Amino acid sequence: MTDLPEETGEKRVDTALGGLARLGAVPVSAHVSVFEEVFTGLEQALASVDGAVDQQR
């Protein structure tokens, strides 16, 4: 389906993106909520990295 790697090497990102696997099992009408959950997980992972970088400065 895609040439993207199965894992990114970052556990929080992999966990968030893993939610996309549910898309085939839910009706199309539920896809927006799945995308929102994945997006929120990616935002949280990014925010935690940003916070770690800020603390090192």
Side-chain angles (χ1 to χ4, degrees), residues 17-41:
L17 292 176
L20 295 174
R22 295 191 345 248
L23 290 175
V26 298
V28 172
S29 60
H31 285 195
V32 170
S33 64
V34 172
F35 290 135
E36 288 173 343
E37 289 174 21
V38 170
F39 182 74
T40 298

Side-chain angles (χ1 to χ4, degrees), residues 2-49:
T2 178
D3 291 335
L4 295 175
E6 298 256 341
E7 295 181 357
T8 66
E10 171 57 50
K11 184 178 178 180
R12 293 166 292 201
V13 172
D14 292 338
T15 299
L17 292 176
L20 295 174
R22 295 191 345 248
L23 290 175
V26 298
V28 172
S29 60
H31 285 195
V32 170
S33 64
V34 172
F35 290 135
E36 288 173 343
E37 289 174 21
V38 170
F39 182 74
T40 298
L42 292 172
E43 279 186 316
Q44 290 172 347
L46 183 58
S48 69
V49 171

